[in-house]
Amino acid sequence: PLERTCAARRENLTEALPELPPRRPTVALTRVVLLVRRGADVLLRRRRGNELLPGLWDLPGAFTGANGDRSGGTDGVVALLPFAVDVGPVVGRLKHAITHRRIELEDLEASTVGSRDGTTELVGADGATLLWCPWSEGVEKALSSPARRILRRWGPA
């Protein structure tokens, strides 16, 4: 349909132009995400330098299945938290696509167990910064798109 407006065809250069590399195959992933609440606060996790889109805030989560060292699902997420949580059932699902990845996120609501000492900044077992903040502040941070959608969907406590 664009043959008449194609400059390469008009100049007889179509054979000289490089071909596009084949598309990367699509990878389907599942990620478990915890919406952890402590009263009116929600827990956010800052992505580390070796992760996709470093520096963004996100909800604590882990990929499930055979995805290398990032596997672990719910148990993997809970193991990264420096405190105990009570994890509830899946309360929602969200589909997200980025580059060649098609990610289905399973949202689980969780609450802290035991101490509620008021500390706002913590460090997870993987070295990531964890932050307790009011829901209204959390949705205003530089969040991943799925985290923002999840927070908006479930709203303040």
Side-chain angles (χ1 to χ4, degrees):
L2 300 175
E3 184 175 327
R4 286 182 271 153
T5 60
C6 178
R9 185 170 297 282
R10 194 172 43 246
E11 302 290 327
N12 277 337
L13 296 174
T14 55
E15 298 299 319
L17 296 175
E19 289 188 31
L20 292 175
R23 293 183 92 168
R24 289 170 77 174
T26 300
V27 177
L29 302 169
T30 302
R31 183 171 171 82
V32 172
V33 178
L34 297 183
L35 178 55
V36 185
R37 296 185 191 269
R38 180 179 73 177
D41 292 343
V42 294
L43 184 68
L44 298 178
R45 177 188 179 276
R46 180 168 251 163
R47 291 182 182 180
R48 296 175 302 139
N50 63 344
E51 296 179 60
L52 185 65
L53 304 172
L56 276 185
W57 289 96
D58 206 347
L59 295 171
F63 288 96
T64 62
N67 298 307
D69 62 344
R70 296 170 62 182
S71 298
T74 306
D75 292 340
V77 181
V78 170
L80 296 175
L81 300 177
F83 50 82
V85 292
D86 183 19
V87 179
V90 174
V91 293
R93 294 186 193 282
L94 178 72
K95 293 186 185 238
H96 181 69
I98 182 168
T99 63
H100 64 286
R101 298 172 188 91
R102 302 295 172 258
I103 306 167
E104 181 173 349
L105 293 100
E106 295 180 344
D107 317 339
L108 293 91
E109 196 156 13
S111 56
T112 58
V113 175
S115 175
R116 295 181 178 223
D117 69 0
T119 303
T120 57
E121 194 168 309
L122 306 160
V123 177
D126 62 350
T129 300
L130 300 171
L131 178 70
W132 286 108
C133 66
W135 177 88
S136 58
E137 289 178 23
V139 294
E140 296 301 318
K141 290 200 168 290
L143 287 170
S144 69
S145 175
R148 185 175 313 284
R149 289 170 57 194
I150 291 168
L151 283 176
R152 285 188 175 152
R153 176 187 294 173
W154 297 110

